[in-house]
Amino acid sequence: MARKRTKPGKIRLTEVAKLAGVSPITASRFFRTPEALSINKRVRVESAARELGYVPNLAARALASQRTEVIGVLIPSLTNNVFSDVLRGIYDAVDGSRYTIQLANTRYSILQEEKLLRVFLAQKPAGLIVTGIDQTPESRSMMEATDCPVVQLMEIGDNPVDMMIGFSHADACHAAISHLLDQGCRRVGFLGARMDPRVQRRFLGYQQAMKDAGLLDPRLIVTTPLPTSVTLGGTLFADLLAKAPDTDAVFCANDDLALGVLFECQRRQISVPEQMLISGFNDLEFMASAVPTLTSVRTNRYEMGRTAATMVIEAMDGRRPEQKVVDLGYTVMVRQSSVRPGHAGRVSAERQRAAE
């Protein structure tokens, strides 16, 4: 139970310092840089603050220091497992530091992202982590004008706002399609949902791989702006077969769709991989547990989040990375669903790109 105060009104830092038996400067340092204090003093100040119910004024601290100790993170979805892995990496990197995370969901809207960026920047964050490279001109201008570190993640490009970490979605998809073609497939379909910028770049990789092989056919392409789901994967696959019944392989822009295709194949008694090959993207956990196991493009999502947060923290400490753009690469995880009997399932060197 908190100690009863004799004075009404807001609890002051000096009261916390007095109860903890330290100077007000030491108490203030605890709330700014706790790692600078001894464990004994940290415990005493933290205990006193908890007993009195003291909450530091972050807004006042921001005015004094021109910056809070909050890292703003903008992602397009709170339910997508892909971003759950990214967030786990971010939170693990921040754990034990003086920084906290403020999270916002853009819902795949660049206009919503612009609005949230304006709110975040008004609060003077320690740093920003933003998903993707397709911000509006106004969003980019705001990020370029801010004095805090900014990391764009999930992709790489030639023109980072500040720092960037990710991989090439087009190259990763091209590698997956090339693997299917190596298995003797010639009618490789593409299924895509929502069609956000990263999915669109995977589509470009598909188109380029099929064009390189002289096999690009619009009838093999089925996309929708609807949110992705396993059920939708089965529906899109049925649409694909109605347009192109001679399809012999399917690349799905994410793993939910790929699992839906597998279920639809089983419903139609289409044998995988003897009659139909399947590949997904992201390599979520269930891909290796499906029967048959499902091929997918593995992306380093946890490492992406962890490294992005570390880049922000180190930049705040004056240790900016030598490389502004970090390419974490990808791996085509070849499994049963994409290896025809009699063909090798090995991933060739050009399809297994890891960061150097």
Side-chain angles (χ1 to χ4, degrees), residues 104-340:
N105 181 3
T106 67
R107 299 184 179 183
Y108 293 93
S109 167
I110 58 174
L111 295 179
Q112 178 71 0
E113 181 183 63
E114 181 182 310
K115 177 182 176 181
L116 291 168
L117 273 171
R118 190 171 285 107
V119 172
F120 274 23
L121 290 172
Q123 297 172 354
K124 300 182 180 180
L128 282 174
I129 298 175
V130 183
T131 303
I133 59 177
D134 296 280
Q135 287 76 34
T136 65
E138 180 64 22
S139 291
R140 186 174 180 93
S141 295
M142 286 190 289
M143 291 192 295
E144 289 175 339
T146 187
D147 60 352
C148 72
V150 177
V151 177
Q152 294 162 286
L153 84 169
M154 299 300 288
E155 297 186 71
I156 56 172
D158 298 328
N159 189 26
V161 169
D162 182 7
M163 297 174 284
M164 184 181 291
I165 181 167
F167 65 100
S168 169
H169 289 254
D171 289 351
C173 182
H174 192 290
I177 301 305
S178 296
H179 160 66
L180 295 173
L181 295 175
D182 284 351
Q183 295 296 306
C185 299
R186 289 297 175 263
R187 302 288 291 168
V188 181
F190 178 93
L191 302 184
R194 195 183 287 280
M195 301 308 293
D196 63 75
R198 284 163 295 285
V199 174
Q200 290 179 29
R201 277 184 263 282
R202 293 169 207 168
F203 183 40
L204 289 175
Y206 163 83
Q207 290 176 300
Q208 190 60 55
M210 295 296 283
K211 190 179 296 183
D212 291 345
L215 299 171
L216 185 61
D217 183 345
R219 291 173 296 176
L220 293 168
I221 299 166
V222 180
T223 65
T224 177
L226 294 174
T228 186
S229 69
V230 174
T231 301
L232 183 63
T235 301
L236 297 182
F237 181 57
D239 291 344
L240 172 63
L241 291 182
K243 291 170 51 179
D246 57 346
T247 299
D248 55 11
V250 185
F251 172 82
C252 301
N254 61 53
D255 291 340
D256 289 349
L257 298 179
L259 189 60
V261 170
L262 176 62
F263 290 161
E264 184 65 13
C265 282
Q266 292 170 343
R267 191 182 73 80
R268 292 173 178 245
Q269 297 184 338
I270 299 173
S271 179
V272 178
E274 288 79 8
Q275 295 174 277
M276 184 69 62
L277 271 60
I278 304 172
S279 175
F281 197 101
N282 286 317
D283 198 34
L284 298 178
E285 183 180 7
F286 61 75
M287 298 297 275
S289 302
V291 180
T293 56
L294 288 164
T295 291
S296 189
V297 178
R298 174 172 293 177
T299 57
N300 303 295
R301 300 178 300 279
Y302 172 84
E303 188 63 28
M304 216 177 295
R306 187 179 181 92
T307 305
T310 300
M311 291 166 78
V312 168
I313 293 171
E314 291 183 348
M316 283 294 299
D317 294 337
R319 293 177 287 126
R320 284 185 168 273
E322 292 183 9
Q323 278 188 305
K324 285 191 172 184
V325 179
V326 179
D327 184 355
L328 290 181
Y330 54 83
T331 306
V332 180
M333 302 301 296
V334 176
R335 299 192 180 98
Q336 294 169 342
S337 70
S338 70
V339 180
R340 287 204 191 281

Side-chain angles (χ1 to χ4, degrees), residues 6-69:
T6 58
K7 295 181 180 180
K10 184 179 178 181
I11 299 168
R12 299 183 179 279
L13 183 63
T14 53
E15 296 177 69
V16 176
K18 183 178 180 180
L19 182 58
V22 299
S23 69
I25 292 177
T26 298
S28 176
R29 187 177 297 125
F30 169 79
F31 292 105
R32 289 184 287 108
T33 55
E35 64 274 12
L37 302 183
S38 67
I39 294 178
N40 179 267
K41 287 182 178 178
R42 268 186 274 172
V43 170
R44 282 155 53 193
V45 176
E46 184 177 18
S47 177
R50 187 182 300 113
E51 186 172 343
L52 292 172
Y54 174 77
V55 178
N57 189 335
L58 296 179
R61 190 188 310 171
L63 289 173
S65 66
Q66 298 301 306
R67 183 173 285 132
T68 64
E69 290 171 353

